[in-house]
Amino acid sequence: MDPTLYTAAVEGNISKGDFTLAEYLKREEENAYQVTPTGNTILHVAAHYGHSHFVAEVLKITPALLCHPNKKNESALHIAANEGHIEVVHLLLSIDEHYKETLMRMTDENGDTALHKAVRSRHQDVARLGERRS
């Protein structure tokens, strides 16, 4: 993954200096699909750090990343639920019904859904949010 893009996702910067996330992602379609060595997209990275505003911007531009799995077969929802980032989880689940259903049923390499991850990581508030949405 391009270091500028990775840093923007880690820091949650949708605009900084000459960098604008929207322009960067719209420049070439493949830009949104760049991954880290573990297969994480910018959506996974932003979800890990809890940057809901960055997640929202990415989804506006490239909604297909929502269900894109990393090398452990985790979606961005798995990552956000495991980390307890309720705002990001809420945002990811507020996408249209088709995606929500698909996301809630996706399992990682261990067979865990995002709800399993939230419960195991003791993020009951996130787990309750997932229960209401399923």
Side-chain angles (χ1 to χ4, degrees), residues 4-60:
T4 303
L5 188 58
Y6 180 78
T7 300
V10 168
E11 295 175 354
N13 290 326
I14 57 175
S15 179
K16 184 178 184 180
D18 292 341
F19 176 83
T20 303
L21 180 65
E23 286 178 19
Y24 189 89
L25 294 181
K26 289 176 182 175
R27 199 173 325 140
E28 291 183 44
E29 191 172 317
E30 311 86 59
N31 282 343
Y33 291 92
Q34 292 183 34
V35 294
T36 66
T38 57
N40 288 329
T41 66
I42 55 171
L43 194 60
H44 288 93
V45 174
H48 176 80
Y49 289 99
H51 299 306
S52 57
H53 61 287
F54 192 95
V55 167
E57 188 70 19
V58 170
L59 291 175
K60 274 191 249 176

Side-chain angles (χ1 to χ4, degrees), residues 57-72:
E57 188 70 19
V58 170
L59 291 175
K60 274 191 249 176
I61 301 163
T62 316
L65 283 182
L66 187 62
C67 296
H68 193 83
N70 65 14
K71 287 185 178 177
K72 291 182 179 179

Side-chain angles (χ1 to χ4, degrees), residues 81-82 106-107 111-122 127:
N82 189 58
M106 282 180 76
T107 57
D112 291 336
T113 65
L115 182 58
H116 291 130
K117 293 246 186 212
V119 170
R120 282 205 183 97
S121 299
R122 299 182 182 202

